[in-house]
């Protein structure tokens, strides 16, 4: 895919949604971090349903440590892998208190050092909480980047590097959200809605319906 076509794709996505937002419900960087950790292999809707009950009770590292794993589990038990996620959330809360004064760090290495936080989660927090032009590659973005020809790659890191390399700077801050929403609602896995797609004529997928 050439540079002009990539620019046209992002121009159309921007025109359709100039200020995209995360579909996770949060008010602070810590709430966002918790929500993103919970969202692994889970839906945003399911996470929001759980955090709507959790955050009024506990929404700071101090409160999570005080709640403890056993106290946290009832609030997140509807979410996949909840035992592991509860342990990670309490442990990362303690680490935030011990190393960062209870604040979510604006630093990739510091974020990835937290229990349960990998590169994708760190990228989401840096982008959404702090406005950094990072691109977190989840299953939706991986599919869209490869299917359209926008940024092919054999694994999420390869796709991320290609997107960072090929995405014009002016689009980088919102690229993550545009692509994830496009993959979630239009370029879906089993039967993409090509007839409704605003970038169908720019897409290089040979099997467009």
């Amino acid at each position: 895919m050439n540079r002009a076509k990539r620019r046209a794709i992002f121009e159309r996505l921007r025109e359709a949604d100039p200020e995209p937002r995360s579909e996770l419900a949060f008010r602070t960087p810590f709430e966002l971090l918790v929500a993103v950790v919970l969202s692994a292999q889970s839906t945003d809707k399911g996470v929001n349903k759980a955090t709507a009950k959790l955050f009024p009770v506990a929404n700071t590292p101090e409160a999570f440590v005080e709640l403890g794993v056993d106290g946290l589990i009832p609030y997140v038990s509807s979410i996949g892998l909840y035992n592991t996620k509860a342990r990670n959330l309490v442990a990362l809360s303690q680490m935030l208190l011990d190393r960062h004064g209870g604040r979510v760090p604006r630093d990739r290495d510091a974020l990835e050092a937290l229990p349960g936080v990998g590169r994708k989660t760190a990228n989401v927090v840096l982008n959404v909480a702090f406005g950094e032009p990072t691109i977190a590659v989840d299953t939706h973005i991986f599919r869209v980047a490869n299917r359209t020809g926008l940024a092919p790659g054999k694994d999420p890191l390869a796709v991320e590097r290609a997107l960072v390399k090929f995405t014009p700077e002016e689009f980088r801050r919102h690229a993550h959200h545009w692509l994830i929403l496009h993959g979630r609602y239009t370029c879906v896995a089993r039967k993409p809605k090509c007839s409704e797609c605003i970038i169908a004529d720019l897409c290089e997928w040979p099997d467009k319906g």
Side-chain angles (χ1 to χ4, degrees):
M1 180 174 288
N2 61 40
R3 183 183 303 178
K5 194 178 283 189
R6 288 191 180 94
R7 171 170 286 278
I9 286 173
F10 283 113
E11 285 175 344
R12 290 190 194 176
L13 294 173
R14 178 175 64 184
E15 184 178 356
D17 190 2
E19 292 291 331
R21 292 284 182 267
S22 171
E23 294 189 321
L24 290 170
F26 70 95
R27 291 175 298 176
T28 67
F30 180 73
E31 287 188 354
L32 173 65
L33 176 60
V34 170
V36 178
V37 169
L38 289 174
S39 72
Q41 299 181 45
S42 303
T43 65
D44 287 1
K45 186 178 292 186
V47 172
N48 289 341
K49 188 174 181 180
T51 56
K53 296 177 181 179
L54 171 62
F55 287 157
V57 174
N59 70 339
T60 65
E62 293 90 344
F64 269 59
V65 171
E66 184 175 346
L67 199 59
V69 175
D70 290 340
L72 179 56
I73 282 177
Y75 293 99
V76 299
S77 59
S78 60
I79 294 172
L81 306 175
Y82 66 88
N83 282 307
T84 298
K85 291 175 181 178
R87 288 194 297 270
N88 285 335
L89 287 170
V90 172
L92 74 80
S93 296
Q94 186 64 62
M95 190 176 290
L96 289 176
L97 293 171
D98 293 342
R99 299 186 182 180
H100 305 288
R103 294 181 176 272
V104 176
R106 187 175 181 169
D107 177 83
R108 178 188 300 283
D109 290 339
L111 285 168
E112 290 191 34
L114 297 171
V117 177
R119 185 177 183 88
K120 183 181 75 173
T121 298
N123 276 335
V124 173
V125 172
L126 289 169
N127 180 269
V128 177
F130 302 116
E132 300 283 349
T134 56
I135 301 177
V137 177
D138 70 349
T139 55
H140 297 297
I141 295 177
F142 185 79
R143 179 175 64 255
V144 171
N146 276 288
R147 181 182 278 169
T148 62
L150 182 66
K154 67 182 188 302
D155 56 47
L157 182 57
V159 169
E160 179 190 335
R161 287 173 173 163
L163 284 169
V164 169
K165 179 179 179 181
F166 294 126
T167 302
E169 189 173 351
E170 67 184 280
F171 302 115
R172 247 176 244 159
R173 182 181 172 191
H174 293 315
H176 161 78
H177 283 120
W178 286 323
L179 295 175
I180 194 172
L181 292 171
H182 190 67
R184 186 172 288 167
Y185 297 111
T186 303
C187 195
V188 295
R190 291 187 179 180
K191 192 175 181 182
K193 303 173 184 177
C194 298
S195 63
E196 303 172 18
C197 179
I198 61 173
I199 61 169
D201 59 312
L202 301 168
C203 172
E204 296 184 351
W205 190 43
D207 299 324
K208 288 194 289 288

